[in-house]
Amino acid sequence: MPLQEKQLDPALLDAVDVFGGLDPSGKDEALAAAHWRKLETGERAFEQDQEADAFYVLSAGRLKVTQVTPEGQEIIIRYIGPKEMFGCVAVCGGLTYPGTATAVTDSWALGWTRATIGALAQTYPGIALNAMRTMGGRLQDTQSRLREMQTERVERRIAHGIARLVAQAGRRVEGGILIDFPVSRQDIAELTGTTLHTVSRTLSAWQERGVVELGRQKLTVRDPHALVVIAEDLPLKE
Amino acid sequence: MPLQEKQLDPALLDAVDVFGGLDPSGKDEALAAAHWRKLETGERAFEQDQEADAFYVLSAGRLKVTQVTPEGQEIIIRYIGPKEMFGCVAVCGGLTYPGTATAVTDSWALGWTRATIGALAQTYPGIALNAMRTMGGRLQDTQSRLREMQTERVERRIAHGIARLVAQAGRRVEGGILIDFPVSRQDIAELTGTTLHTVSRTLSAWQERGVVELGRQKLTVRDPHALVVIAEDLPLKE
């Protein structure tokens, strides 16, 4: 399996925030203690309310982390890209996963059991400090989204949501920036707290204005500046 | 100053999550490195976008952490009670405070400069692990509120917001549970992402039904079960 071999390169851990600053022997030890998981598109790494028995770093691919309300409504908490952690609750002392992690493209992840990552963090304090930094960033992201939900009208929220996808997974293509993984209108609705109908209506209007281009599970931002103008509610220049 | 003397008791740190599991010499070292701050009602420990130069544990009193949108709208991120941390961003590597911390009652806090808490966390890995656990809990709280904002109608959100205040600062009094700090209708609006008008209308209706009792900056939950029924959208029994 060439992908697996390639991903087993210890240099992989160099770029992972949680292992930043570890000396080479620490990285070797962390890598030796890890196990690999392949996740086909649609496969779940873990499910909401399941026992939090492992912590992961995504090596390749992309996942979405979702929560389902007691009424069965799904929301997307965040997308996870290469070198990002997921299942952090297993490090933080939580008993169950607060959300479900599903592969949106074929993915590979490095996993550590709860006991293993706990022991590593005791030996290498840097791991806990790094994880904390990442969680601090996520807490602030989530607070920003909460603030947007509380204060912004839906069009601005959709623009902010797409701007975040561009920042996370934008790839420059001819005539714009492509969100480099399958993303549907329903996904955007679950990400921005609105309905499929509102997302479809909004994106169609933006497409007519040349702001975005829509394909099947494909979204290209044609005019990033116009998106920022909408997101930040700036005055339109004529 | 008797309050200050009482609060300087090293046993104070026993019950603070972030120093849990530290040996006595570690606790002495942490306490010796701290400085005290008194915050009068309305005084700010720090402001949004100010350089994050210190981390705090509240010793007595209560603070609210707020964010202001670029348009000037304020939302309440959370309330901080005794033994809770605030200004965590100074530990997590953030450069500026994401919100403003304001005393809602006269308060005392223990502070550590960014450099001091960083050095302590290097010496005592437990500090970083504990802080991470707390931040994991806050991340999940914020995610729950985000999910509520995305999926729940306003009456349920207000009920959830008040239920959280009860859990955090409820004090059993005759005929109900009092939220044990000054909380206004505007505060509840900023906490639940709605308008003062909607909060006033909703709370008045609940008062008529005997669910809550309203005073000036004072809220008592008379019927906690009814509040849960509203929050969880349960069927009403006749």
Side-chain angles (χ1 to χ4, degrees):
Chain A
M1 287 189 286
L3 178 60
Q4 188 165 358
E5 276 164 31
K6 187 183 131 217
Q7 302 299 340
L8 261 166
D9 182 358
L12 173 75
L13 293 187
D14 289 345
V16 173
D17 280 348
V18 70
F19 298 112
L22 245 69
D23 58 34
S25 73
K27 277 181 190 159
D28 288 347
E29 193 180 331
L31 207 57
H35 60 272
W36 283 94
R37 274 189 79 174
K38 186 176 195 326
L39 298 159
E40 314 267 354
T41 303
E43 199 178 334
R44 293 166 169 201
F46 50 74
E47 291 188 37
Q48 185 173 343
D49 298 330
Q50 183 191 316
E51 190 195 339
D53 51 8
F55 156 82
Y56 298 92
V57 169
L58 195 67
S59 162
R62 194 159 304 266
L63 306 187
K64 64 175 176 182
V65 181
T66 54
Q67 285 186 350
V68 173
T69 68
E71 292 77 26
Q73 217 174 328
E74 183 175 286
I75 73 156
I76 297 177
I77 296 290
R78 68 173 49 81
Y79 283 97
I80 303 290
K83 294 168 189 167
E84 287 188 296
M85 313 188 297
F86 61 105
C88 305
V89 69
V91 191
C92 309
L95 294 179
T96 58
Y97 292 112
T100 299
T102 310
V104 296
T105 59
D106 289 351
S107 301
W108 281 94
L110 266 172
W112 288 264
T113 65
R114 192 188 185 87
T116 308
I117 193 71
L120 281 169
Q122 281 291 346
T123 315
Y124 303 100
I127 292 180
L129 286 172
N130 290 333
M132 203 164 63
R133 220 161 270 149
T134 303
M135 289 184 50
R138 289 195 186 167
L139 183 55
Q140 286 185 39
D141 282 353
T142 311
Q143 283 171 2
S144 298
R145 282 180 60 192
L146 183 65
R147 195 183 58 217
E148 287 166 22
M149 279 297 306
Q150 291 199 10
T151 60
E152 292 179 5
R153 278 206 302 267
V154 67
E155 192 185 34
R156 289 187 62 190
R157 296 207 311 260
I158 295 173
H160 266 131
I162 293 175
R164 254 192 294 270
L165 293 179
V166 165
Q168 213 188 354
R171 184 161 61 84
R172 198 163 286 280
V173 293
E174 207 180 301
I177 303 171
L178 172 74
I179 310 291
D180 204 13
F181 62 88
V183 57
S184 68
R185 287 158 222 221
Q186 180 63 33
D187 290 332
I188 293 172
E190 292 177 9
L191 199 59
T192 54
T194 182
T195 60
L196 176 58
H197 175 258
T198 303
V199 169
S200 296
R201 188 169 42 75
T202 306
L203 292 187
S204 296
W206 290 356
Q207 178 158 258
E208 273 174 40
R209 284 166 52 193
V211 180
V212 296
E213 190 182 307
L214 301 164
R216 202 183 153 278
Q217 298 227 309
K218 204 173 142 177
L219 180 64
T220 309
V221 177
R222 288 262 169 252
D223 186 346
H225 177 71
L227 193 71
V228 171
V229 166
I230 298 164
E232 303 310 329
D233 207 12
L234 302 173
L236 269 173
K237 273 193 223 152
E238 288 307 312
Chain B
M1 288 189 283
L3 177 62
Q4 187 164 1
E5 275 164 33
K6 186 183 132 217
Q7 301 299 340
L8 260 165
D9 183 357
L12 174 74
L13 292 187
D14 288 345
V16 173
D17 280 349
V18 71
F19 297 112
L22 244 69
D23 57 34
S25 73
K27 277 181 191 160
D28 288 348
E29 194 180 331
L31 207 56
H35 59 273
W36 283 95
R37 273 190 79 173
K38 186 176 195 326
L39 298 159
E40 315 267 355
T41 302
E43 199 178 335
R44 294 166 169 202
F46 50 75
E47 291 189 36
Q48 185 173 343
D49 299 330
Q50 183 190 318
E51 190 194 339
D53 51 8
F55 156 82
Y56 299 93
V57 169
L58 194 67
S59 162
R62 194 159 305 265
L63 306 187
K64 65 175 176 181
V65 181
T66 54
Q67 285 186 350
V68 173
T69 68
E71 291 78 25
Q73 216 174 327
E74 183 177 284
I75 73 158
I76 297 177
I77 296 290
R78 67 171 52 79
Y79 283 97
I80 303 290
K83 294 171 189 165
E84 288 188 295
M85 313 187 297
F86 62 105
C88 304
V89 69
V91 190
C92 309
L95 296 179
T96 57
Y97 293 112
T100 299
T102 310
V104 296
T105 57
D106 288 352
S107 302
W108 282 93
L110 267 172
W112 289 263
T113 65
R114 191 188 185 86
T116 308
I117 193 71
L120 281 168
Q122 281 291 345
T123 314
Y124 302 100
I127 292 180
L129 286 172
N130 291 333
M132 202 164 63
R133 220 161 271 149
T134 302
M135 289 184 50
R138 289 195 186 168
L139 184 54
Q140 286 185 38
D141 281 354
T142 311
Q143 284 171 2
S144 298
R145 281 180 62 192
L146 183 64
R147 195 182 58 216
E148 288 166 20
M149 281 297 304
Q150 292 200 10
T151 61
E152 292 178 6
R153 279 206 301 267
V154 67
E155 192 184 34
R156 289 187 61 191
R157 296 207 311 261
I158 295 173
H160 265 132
I162 293 175
R164 254 192 294 270
L165 293 179
V166 165
Q168 213 187 354
R171 184 160 61 84
R172 198 164 286 279
V173 292
E174 205 178 303
I177 304 171
L178 172 74
I179 310 290
D180 204 13
F181 61 89
V183 57
S184 68
R185 286 159 224 224
Q186 179 63 33
D187 290 333
I188 293 172
E190 292 178 9
L191 199 59
T192 55
T194 183
T195 60
L196 176 58
H197 175 256
T198 302
V199 169
S200 296
R201 190 169 40 77
T202 305
L203 291 187
S204 297
W206 291 355
Q207 179 158 258
E208 272 174 41
R209 284 167 51 193
V211 180
V212 297
E213 189 181 308
L214 300 165
R216 203 182 153 279
Q217 298 225 312
K218 204 173 142 178
L219 180 64
T220 309
V221 177
R222 287 262 170 254
D223 186 347
H225 177 70
L227 192 72
V228 171
V229 166
I230 298 165
E232 302 310 329
D233 206 12
L234 300 174
L236 271 173
K237 273 194 226 153
E238 289 309 311

